Amino acid sequence: MSPVSYPDALRSLLTAVSPVGKETVCIGDALHRITAERVLAPQPLPNSRRSAVDGFALADVTRRQWRVAGSRAAGELATDPLAEEDALAVMTGGGVPDNAKAVVRVEESHQLGDSLCLADGVVANGNINELGHELMPGYSLLDAGCRMDAIRHSTLCYAGVSDLCVYRPLRVGVMLSGGELLTPGTPPRPGSSYECHRALLQPTLEQLGCQCTFAGPVADDPQRIHDTVEQLAEHHDLIVTSGGVSMGKYDFVRPLLKQQEFELVVDRTKIKPGSPLLAAKRGEQLFVAMPGYPAAFLINLFLYLVPVIKRLAGWQRYAPLWQHEVLNAPLRGRVGRSDMIRIQKRAEKVAPLADQLTSHYCGFAQAEGLAWLDETRSHATAGESVAVCWFDALVNDGGQ
Ligand SMILES: Nc1nc2c(c(=O)[nH]1)N[C@H]1C(S)=C(S)[C@@H](COP(=O)(O)OP(=O)(O)OC[C@H]3O[C@@H](n4cnc5c(N)ncnc54)[C@H](O)[C@@H]3O)O[C@H]1N2
Ligand code: MOO
């Protein structure tokens, strides 16, 4: 298999997988889950005729004076008809009789004992929320494939949804490889590098609603790498590895996934940085071997892994959203490969960061997204427009 373009590689990965199974959960457990079916309103909203303000319900709005007869707090129904000469004191959310024409606000009326009249110039009108005015049973609240964020969760709670069908959480097993890797926070050792993929991957996977297990860093030993990958494969839908996919003498992940039992999905893609990506299927399981260089890893995470995870987890919009933005400085790339360039947003334009080396990573602390100089272009000039993907949009629903 030869290296393929970014769009072809993404297409191959996305068509190689389909969403995991579904389950029903109660509303209290639905936060962060992905809806597997359209969610419908179970009841009308509001579910009774009620007042929109603190005031007085009136049946005859042509009168100038009424007798205050009773009151209704929020949640109390008003089932009896209101006499024409009567006013019913109602709190916001309190029941309004079927024959009431309007509710007049407390501050637009005068009450003396049980006698009520309107303030000068006030006309009693409106202020009643009719039964089902916001929605009726069967109204669509949320499409399938949407992530239940706090706003959506609160709307379904409000609408009275008690349980719903969601995709089961995607189980992702991650193996980090590299005997030279140190745990962050431990003393430095010349020759070593601090392990940084977990710090990026774990919160990203959790934000996507995945259950994840991390193994390693595993020393560069073929048997240990094989055993770790097989252990993860026992309990996970997706197995992700980092490192060991280039051509070095310790790159043991590549030969592992090139064995006969695996069906290759992608073997190197024409992007820079991050070309050595390798993905293979075994049955329903997908194995994605990511390059270990941190810059290459991050770019593969956002360009390939996040879309694949969204697709597997049931998201409706899973492909990255590329937008056209104007450059404030030139970009350099190479014809025949897609250059993925670290950028910032400056005054509504896109500014490339000075340092774009694959072996350098710390500039990502300033980067807000990637610009994509596609395979047909060797450069782009200031003022030209390029495709841009913002990191923020990648991990929420802002996909295509
Ligand atoms: N002869 C060739 N050499 C290389 C090629 C090639 O085609 N021919 N490809 C280069 C490209 S492109 C990339 S990208 C890297 C990918 O290398 P690997 O995926 O095999 O990664 P490693 O060799 O394991 O590590 C590379 C580098 O990154 C550091 N690393 C790895 N994991 C982590 C981690 N979790 N946290 C921090 N740093 C990590 C590792 O220490 C190495 O320094 O290969 C090129 N070489
Ligand atoms: O493709 Mo690699 O990530 O250039 O160095």
Side-chain angles (χ1 to χ4, degrees):
M1 195 179 259
S2 51
V4 286
S5 69
Y6 169 55
D8 286 348
L10 183 61
R11 201 172 307 114
S12 298
L13 280 162
L14 292 173
T15 50
V17 295
S18 45
V20 292
K22 304 171 182 182
E23 63 188 18
T24 298
V25 291
C26 65
I27 186 72
D29 294 332
L31 186 67
H32 301 325
R33 306 299 296 272
I34 315 299
T35 53
E37 287 172 5
R38 178 171 283 189
V39 185
L40 304 179
Q43 57 152 12
L45 268 191
N47 60 12
S48 61
R49 190 170 199 243
R50 56 183 69 174
S51 177
V53 296
D54 296 320
F56 299 92
L58 308 171
D60 181 358
V61 291
T62 61
R63 301 170 68 91
R64 298 308 303 162
Q65 203 178 353
W66 298 264
R67 185 179 66 98
V68 179
S71 76
R72 293 290 184 277
E76 287 179 343
L77 296 176
T79 43
D80 295 336
L82 190 59
E84 293 194 340
E85 65 278 15
D86 282 353
L88 180 68
V90 281
M91 310 309 125
T92 306
V96 169
D98 285 348
N99 68 331
K101 300 264 185 338
V103 174
V104 65
R105 291 167 179 265
V106 171
E107 61 274 31
E108 294 182 340
S109 59
H110 299 298
Q111 186 181 0
L112 200 62
D114 65 357
S115 167
L116 181 84
C117 54
L118 301 185
D120 285 348
V122 170
V123 178
N125 189 13
N127 294 327
I128 296 175
N129 285 332
E130 299 295 346
L131 181 140
H133 185 251
E134 183 174 353
L135 52 87
M136 291 299 283
Y139 179 98
S140 173
L141 294 166
L142 197 57
D143 276 345
C146 292
R147 179 169 192 266
M148 192 72 66
D149 63 14
I151 292 178
R152 290 170 177 167
H153 191 219
S154 84
T155 63
L156 299 198
C157 289
Y158 184 69
V161 173
S162 58
D163 45 44
L164 62 154
C165 183
V166 294
Y167 288 102
R168 72 163 171 77
L170 183 71
R171 295 182 292 248
V172 185
V174 181
M175 181 196 69
L176 305 164
S177 78
E180 76 284 13
L181 299 174
L182 297 177
T183 304
T186 58
R189 197 182 64 222
S192 65
S193 297
Y194 284 108
E195 199 291 300
C196 63
H197 297 346
R198 182 171 181 161
L200 175 67
L201 204 48
Q202 189 161 359
T204 307
L205 293 178
E206 283 170 5
Q207 201 172 342
L208 294 171
C210 303
Q211 289 174 348
C212 45
T213 312
F214 281 82
V218 176
D220 300 299
D221 168 75
Q223 192 61 46
R224 290 192 61 186
I225 287 186
H226 168 272
D227 293 350
T228 309
V229 168
E230 288 303 342
Q231 270 165 22
L232 290 171
E234 279 173 29
H235 303 289
H236 298 90
D237 308 298
L238 170 65
I239 295 88
V240 177
T241 67
S242 89
V245 284
S246 52
M247 312 296 281
K249 109 183 211 213
Y250 299 106
D251 291 332
F252 299 123
V253 177
R254 179 165 291 279
L256 180 70
L257 294 190
K258 290 204 118 172
Q259 289 173 42
Q260 220 178 9
E261 55 196 295
F262 291 92
E263 178 197 336
L264 274 187
V265 176
V266 166
D267 186 0
R268 295 189 179 90
T269 83
K270 291 193 235 169
I271 64 167
K272 175 79 182 169
S275 58
L277 180 82
L278 182 67
K281 266 186 94 170
R282 190 172 62 186
E284 284 305 297
Q285 282 177 313
L286 183 71
F287 296 71
V288 179
M290 313 262 283
Y293 259 147
F297 182 88
L298 182 148
I299 286 172
N300 276 285
L301 168 64
F302 285 129
L303 296 189
Y304 295 120
L305 195 60
V306 167
V308 165
I309 286 174
K310 284 180 167 177
R311 168 112 177 94
L312 276 163
W315 294 52
Q316 186 185 53
R317 291 192 287 177
Y318 43 79
L321 180 64
W322 291 93
Q323 295 165 308
H324 283 277
E325 306 265 4
V326 177
L327 288 167
N328 80 350
L331 299 183
R332 271 192 308 136
R334 192 195 287 169
V335 171
R337 72 174 189 211
S338 284
D339 286 88
M340 299 297 176
I341 293 152
R342 301 157 219 189
I343 51 162
Q344 286 178 324
K345 187 151 212 166
R346 289 225 195 97
E348 300 308 308
K349 289 195 176 162
V350 162
L353 298 188
D355 187 353
Q356 299 287 342
L357 285 177
T358 301
S359 52
H360 291 190
Y361 187 54
C362 295
F364 276 106
Q366 270 81 49
E368 293 167 275
L370 297 172
W372 172 14
L373 200 56
D374 71 42
E375 286 183 31
T376 62
R377 303 173 80 173
S378 60
H379 65 280
T381 51
E384 261 190 87
S385 139
V386 280
V388 161
C389 195
W390 301 110
F391 294 140
D392 275 358
L394 284 162
V395 282
N396 59 36
D397 268 11
Q400 286 171 322

